[in-house]
Amino acid sequence: MNSTTTQSEAKNLYARATRAELAKDLDTAFRLYVEAGSAFLNVSRTVAHARTQEQARQDAARALERAELIKAVKPDVAPVRRDPFALEEQQLVLKKGSVINGVAAPLWTTASPGLGAAGMLFSDPDGMLELSAEQKEAGVVWRRPSEVLANAKILSDLRPEDIAQRVVADCSLCASIVVSLLHSRSHNSSAALPSLHPRGPDGNPCISPTGRYELKVLFNGAHRQVMVDDLLPFRPDNSRMCMTSRGEWDIWPSLVEKAYLKLMGGYDFPGSNSSTDIHALAGWIPDYLEVKSPSFQREQLWSRLSRGFNDGQCILTVGTDVRPLADRGRVKLLPSHCYPVIDVKETEDGSRWLTILDSWLPTDNGTEVDALLDELSLDGEDDNQRRSIDIAWDDACTLFGCVSVSWNPVMFKNQLIYHGVWKAAHLSPARRDESVHQTLRIRLEGTKDAERPFEEVWILLTRHRTDTRRSSEFISLHAEYDDGHPEARKNITDSAKTQGIYTDNPHVLVRVTVPSPNASGTISLNLSYDGSFDGVGFTAIAYSGLGMHWDGPLRALLFDLRISGTLTTKTSGGNYTLPSYMINPQYRIRVPATTQDGPSGKTRIEASLHAPRDVPVNVMATWGRGERVFDLAQSDIIATSGAYTYGFSRLSADLPQGDFTLVISAFSPTHLGEFSLLVCSSRWVEVDPIPQEGAGMFVKTMRGEWANGAHPRYSLELPIPTDVKIRLQPHALAFVRIGLFLAIGGTAMASSGAFTDARSGAATAQVVLRAGQYIIEPEVNGPGGGGTFSLMVYSKSAGISLAPL
């Protein structure tokens, strides 16, 4: 619907939909209800009257509810196709993110005219910022710099070491300003500097005669405008109680801080990390690294940092965690504090060093923390020199809890940007669950004259924030490269790894390495959200030296079936390397004969598995003939979702006519919880659960051991004729087999066949036995010839007796 859609046009669409529904033309009715809902929503956004807005929203909900009901009655209803890449769809997402913490942050076009014009002094119509507890206790008053500072300046030869943090808890922002100034002076560039306006004829920030300033920020997927006046918090003694310069003359740090903290909700700022701050202030790529994370690679990171820092392609800070004060000789580091890194160097003897700086000036209230800050570093004649510390890289990886790196986006020739929404409020609960896991595909274009055999594609996922104090929101990004070869798509080797961990950080950065000379494949992205809020916007940006384009929206499949279940101690078998893999939930997919879908007559299947965010899961399609799969080999795999990903996994496959087995699993048997499996297909298929081994039968279990060359044997007594199946499962990898014999005469009744080293062990077929006594012989073969095992005897009758001989 276009922006001129009227309420009468929307009502007309709804009336047509109703007539089509009454005429049993459900496909047409479904399409018209969806169009009517879209039209009513458009009306609610364009009319000014509040009552009309609310009525339009109610009408939209009613229309979309009718569409959902039709979909429930007729699952194969023709879908209404929507292009999420359309410009108007992208703009709607960006406009929705234009109010942050109640403050209007419109999209940036150009600096407002008249910022530097003389006239009446400007006062921010949004009012004063909320003060921090320390500022309130100090009794600060709002004053303009012109009232207090006779020679106020803007960014006049300001040095990194001049920046002074006072008592506001924004050490990450202060450190961000320091490293931005350092980059500007070291590389004669303004690329990392916050963009404050007005600007003078030389293009640099200048004093505004009206006291009105604008900060350009990159927030919620686009550059936005934050407007402030120049009223700043001063103590009664006329000293500024905000970020300032050590000489007290330059007001640029104070204005940048005020504008950014206005966006973030006030001076009572709860804190951030510098890569997030620099992303907003300069648009650089945030790369937040937890030192204690299992994925932290200190040697690889050092190489990146050393090269990037000295080439001017990155700036960085380090942060302590909440542990008590760290004491390294006379160097004391505060807990939960951010330190700017002002040098990264490697000496001739191979030693690797970071130089950090502290910008927090101690106050005069005599607290213990102030005393510690005052003796932050080694004594030196120069006060600035006293505030810098050299720390060996290996020590830094012990002392600090995180490294926040910001990368210059001009490192990459090409960018792709997509804006989307998780959990649209008008969707049904089932569809909202689906919406929190979205998939995008990037088509890569190789280059014949590549200078190196491999290229990197960086993908940044950003969660939009309209309330920065909101908590308990998590996002995850999983990226996987597919070079187009069928064998690569079903590779089993990565299926014992985990990726895609959820984080409450608003940014996630993932790097994918691809062969640049023939990088003509596709990168699939899974973008996931976990939280209780509706309509959460996000932005995905891909950076690379390769040519790229979005591969368009996923093809909408006509049919879908949702299955719910629970991973319990009896149904969670873990990944395929474990002997318990066989107990995982499995499903038979029956594809009927067809010649209508594609040139090969195959049916497109997409299976999406949803689970709690702390449960890494995987989906595997196999040539299992619709029967339970006990062990996996590479040749058994049709398609896999790849590495285990937290909370969500998806696979796609084109299946011919026949029966296939779908296996869902968590990474470990200890990962438990409810799950939902959504199977979508291009034509109707049957999906049925496959019973567990021995379902409907009684089971006797016994543990045993092959020790000192002994061959254990077990007596099995059946009081009546019954069906019996036996499984032998070694607790460590071994070649085993199992045999069943009559106790009298030793006639063989059942056998698992030749020795096998299958992880699930060896099993006999299900056989019918007469009442009587039998002997079970578990055998092991090969070096060692020992170890423990489990013996499971399934029977259709109760009362059987199993005992060692």
Side-chain angles (χ1 to χ4, degrees):
M1 291 293 122
N2 59 46
S3 58
T4 61
T5 302
T6 65
Q7 195 168 18
S8 62
E9 289 172 332
K11 289 181 177 179
N12 180 53
L13 283 169
Y14 188 89
R16 289 169 56 197
T18 303
R19 289 194 295 270
E21 184 178 5
L22 292 173
K24 306 298 183 183
D25 185 359
L26 297 187
D27 285 333
T28 300
F30 179 76
R31 176 178 58 80
L32 289 173
Y33 276 131
V34 173
E35 291 181 4
S38 178
F40 281 123
L41 287 174
N42 188 69
V43 170
S44 72
R45 291 190 293 262
T46 55
V47 298
H49 198 275
R51 183 175 297 178
T52 305
Q53 289 177 352
E54 180 58 28
Q55 183 60 53
R57 282 193 287 268
Q58 292 177 7
D59 291 338
R62 189 170 72 253
L64 294 170
E65 183 179 1
R66 293 305 308 171
E68 289 290 334
L69 289 173
I70 291 174
K71 178 70 171 174
V73 172
K74 189 175 187 289
D76 61 340
V77 65
V80 177
R81 300 193 180 276
R82 162 185 161 271
D83 183 7
F85 292 88
L87 180 60
E88 58 270 21
E89 295 284 347
Q90 300 282 287
Q91 288 297 315
L92 282 175
V93 178
L94 295 179
K95 288 180 180 178
K96 184 178 178 182
S98 293
V99 177
I100 298 101
N101 295 318
V103 172
L107 297 174
W108 180 274
T109 52
T110 58
S112 300
L115 279 177
M120 185 177 296
L121 291 177
F122 173 74
S123 293
D124 190 344
D126 293 322
M128 301 299 184
L129 274 66
E130 179 68 25
L131 295 172
S132 70
E134 295 92 342
Q135 288 171 319
K136 291 176 181 178
E137 185 179 350
V140 301
V141 293
W142 293 96
R143 292 175 178 162
R144 296 185 186 272
S146 57
E147 301 172 13
V148 180
L149 306 174
N151 59 343
K153 299 178 181 179
I154 291 277
L155 203 59
S156 175
D157 198 32
L158 192 64
R159 301 174 303 169
E161 58 268 26
D162 292 332
I163 299 298
Q165 180 190 355
R166 298 297 183 173
V167 294
V168 181
D170 61 351
C171 57
S172 68
L173 177 59
C174 185
S176 300
I177 298 297
V178 170
V179 294
S180 297
L181 282 170
L182 175 71
H183 182 274
S184 176
R185 292 177 67 90
S186 300
H187 300 280
N188 192 28
S189 168
S190 61
L193 285 179
S195 181
L196 185 70
H197 296 261
R199 300 293 180 96
D202 59 357
N204 294 319
C206 64
I207 294 288
S208 168
T210 64
R212 174 178 171 176
Y213 293 88
E214 290 179 353
L215 183 68
K216 181 180 180 181
V217 295
L218 179 59
F219 211 84
N220 290 348
H223 284 104
R224 302 179 183 277
Q225 173 200 83
V226 181
M227 177 181 60
V228 293
D229 57 33
D230 65 351
L231 286 163
L232 299 174
F234 282 82
R235 288 191 183 90
D237 65 0
N238 286 340
S239 62
R240 270 177 283 170
M241 199 169 182
C242 57
M243 192 189 306
T244 183
S245 59
R246 290 167 63 81
E248 294 285 347
W249 61 84
D250 202 313
I251 62 172
W252 180 82
S254 304
L255 293 171
V256 170
E257 177 192 49
K258 180 179 181 181
Y260 184 66
L261 293 187
K262 176 183 177 180
L263 186 74
M264 301 303 289
Y267 281 104
D268 57 336
F269 184 51
S272 179
N273 69 71
S274 66
S275 60
T276 295
D277 298 337
I278 294 170
H279 176 73
L281 293 172
W284 283 35
I285 304 169
D287 192 6
Y288 180 78
L289 304 164
E290 294 184 3
V291 175
K292 302 302 184 293
S293 168
S295 61
F296 184 80
Q297 297 175 311
R298 67 168 65 186
E299 298 304 316
Q300 185 182 71
L301 179 59
W302 173 261
S303 298
R304 282 185 181 273
L305 294 184
S306 179
R307 182 172 61 252
F309 182 89
N310 291 290
D311 290 346
Q313 300 296 356
C314 77
I315 50 182
L316 67 145
T317 67
V318 289
T320 53
D321 54 26
V322 295
R323 293 176 299 174
L325 298 175
D327 193 337
R328 300 285 297 177
R330 297 197 57 211
V331 176
K332 292 182 173 62
L333 300 175
L334 285 174
S336 301
H337 191 54
C338 185
Y339 294 88
V341 175
I342 60 174
D343 198 9
V344 178
K345 59 192 174 186
E346 188 165 346
T347 60
E348 292 182 359
D349 62 359
S351 301
R352 302 173 299 182
W353 299 89
L354 297 181
T355 302
I356 66 171
L357 180 75
D358 196 319
S359 301
W360 189 325
L361 287 186
T363 58
D364 56 2
N365 59 12
T367 65
E368 180 183 358
V369 168
D370 293 328
L372 289 168
L373 286 167
D374 198 30
E375 49 184 76
L376 171 72
S377 83
L378 302 176
D379 288 333
E381 296 181 359
D382 189 321
D383 189 45
N384 293 332
Q385 199 175 30
R386 292 180 62 233
R387 297 166 56 221
S388 66
I389 315 166
D390 284 337
I391 298 179
W393 172 242
D394 289 339
D395 290 339
C397 292
T398 301
L399 287 171
F400 297 105
C402 67
V403 180
S404 293
V405 191
S406 298
W407 300 92
N408 193 343
V410 301
M411 295 164 54
F412 303 96
K413 292 190 300 183
N414 301 308
Q415 293 185 20
L416 281 179
I417 303 177
Y418 173 81
H419 311 289
V421 175
W422 287 303
K423 294 179 65 174
H426 69 272
L427 297 175
S428 67
R431 292 303 177 188
R432 281 204 294 270
D433 286 345
E434 226 176 288
S435 170
V436 299
H437 303 288
Q438 298 193 23
T439 299
L440 297 175
R441 291 191 175 99
I442 300 172
R443 176 66 65 180
L444 300 176
E445 302 164 5
T447 174
K448 295 181 180 179
D449 56 350
E451 297 179 359
R452 51 188 179 180
F454 294 95
E455 283 282 349
E456 282 191 333
V457 180
W458 291 16
I459 301 104
L460 176 67
L461 173 62
T462 297
R463 169 173 55 86
H464 293 185
R465 295 176 291 164
T466 55
D467 181 353
T468 58
R469 310 295 174 97
R470 209 160 71 182
S471 60
S472 299
E473 292 186 90
F474 303 86
I475 60 174
S476 172
L477 169 62
H478 173 61
E480 189 166 326
Y481 174 62
D482 178 1
D483 64 2
H485 294 91
E487 290 300 317
R489 287 198 297 273
K490 64 178 186 178
N491 195 338
I492 195 176
T493 56
D494 287 337
S495 296
K497 302 176 183 178
T498 58
Q499 294 182 9
I501 296 175
Y502 278 80
T503 177
D504 58 358
N505 195 310
H507 304 288
V508 177
L509 180 67
V510 170
R511 297 177 177 87
V512 179
T513 302
V514 299
S516 57
N518 57 348
S520 56
T522 300
I523 296 177
S524 296
L525 309 178
N526 287 332
L527 318 167
S528 300
Y529 168 83
D530 187 283
S532 58
F533 300 96
D534 272 319
V536 178
F538 67 87
T539 295
I541 307 179
Y543 305 88
S544 182
L546 297 170
M548 304 178 292
H549 64 267
W550 295 116
D551 206 14
L554 289 177
R555 180 169 40 152
L557 300 178
L558 293 176
F559 301 89
D560 60 59
L561 176 66
R562 187 180 295 274
I563 301 169
S564 298
T566 304
L567 290 169
T568 68
T569 54
K570 294 184 178 180
T571 61
S572 181
N575 66 78
Y576 82 100
T577 66
L578 302 174
S580 53
Y581 182 78
M582 66 180 191
I583 71 171
N584 283 309
Q586 301 186 23
Y587 299 88
R588 183 199 70 185
I589 296 181
R590 172 161 291 172
V591 179
T594 176
T595 58
Q596 300 175 358
D597 290 282
S600 62
K602 293 184 177 181
T603 298
R604 183 69 170 176
I605 301 290
E606 289 180 356
S608 303
L609 178 61
H610 304 247
R613 70 168 182 269
D614 58 349
V615 177
V617 288
N618 170 274
V619 188
M620 195 93 72
T622 76
W623 301 102
R625 302 187 302 277
E627 301 171 356
R628 178 157 289 271
V629 170
F630 294 93
D631 294 280
L632 281 176
Q634 182 67 56
S635 58
D636 299 325
I637 307 305
I638 300 173
T640 173
S641 59
Y644 282 76
T645 48
Y646 285 81
F648 175 77
S649 62
R650 186 202 302 268
L651 69 73
S652 298
D654 295 307
L655 300 181
Q657 174 191 0
D659 290 347
F660 308 91
T661 301
L662 193 74
V663 185
I664 71 171
S665 60
F667 183 74
S668 166
T670 60
H671 289 125
L672 310 176
E674 296 181 349
F675 67 85
S676 174
L677 177 66
L678 178 67
V679 179
C680 300
S681 56
S682 57
R683 65 189 308 272
W684 189 256
V685 298
E686 297 178 24
V687 182
D688 298 297
I690 300 174
Q692 290 278 3
E693 181 178 52
M697 303 175 76
F698 299 93
V699 61
K700 289 275 188 180
T701 302
M702 186 164 288
R703 294 174 63 93
E705 182 178 11
W706 295 289
N708 302 320
H711 297 285
R713 301 165 74 227
Y714 295 84
S715 170
L716 174 65
E717 293 188 11
L718 307 180
I720 59 175
T722 187
D723 287 26
V724 171
K725 179 176 183 177
I726 305 171
R727 177 169 292 278
L728 169 65
Q729 197 167 65
H731 298 157
L733 192 62
F735 285 88
V736 297
R737 70 180 178 187
I738 186 78
L740 176 68
F741 307 89
L742 279 172
I744 300 175
T747 304
M749 305 302 295
S751 172
S752 63
F755 283 97
T756 177
D757 63 346
R759 292 178 175 87
S760 62
T764 68
Q766 186 169 316
V767 294
V768 180
L769 299 178
R770 292 176 294 178
Q773 185 177 18
Y774 299 85
I775 304 298
I776 301 174
E777 293 188 359
E779 296 183 75
V780 64
N781 189 22
T788 58
F789 60 85
S790 292
L791 187 67
M792 291 158 279
V793 179
Y794 302 97
S795 64
K796 284 199 172 181
S797 299
I800 70 170
S801 175
L802 179 65
L805 289 176

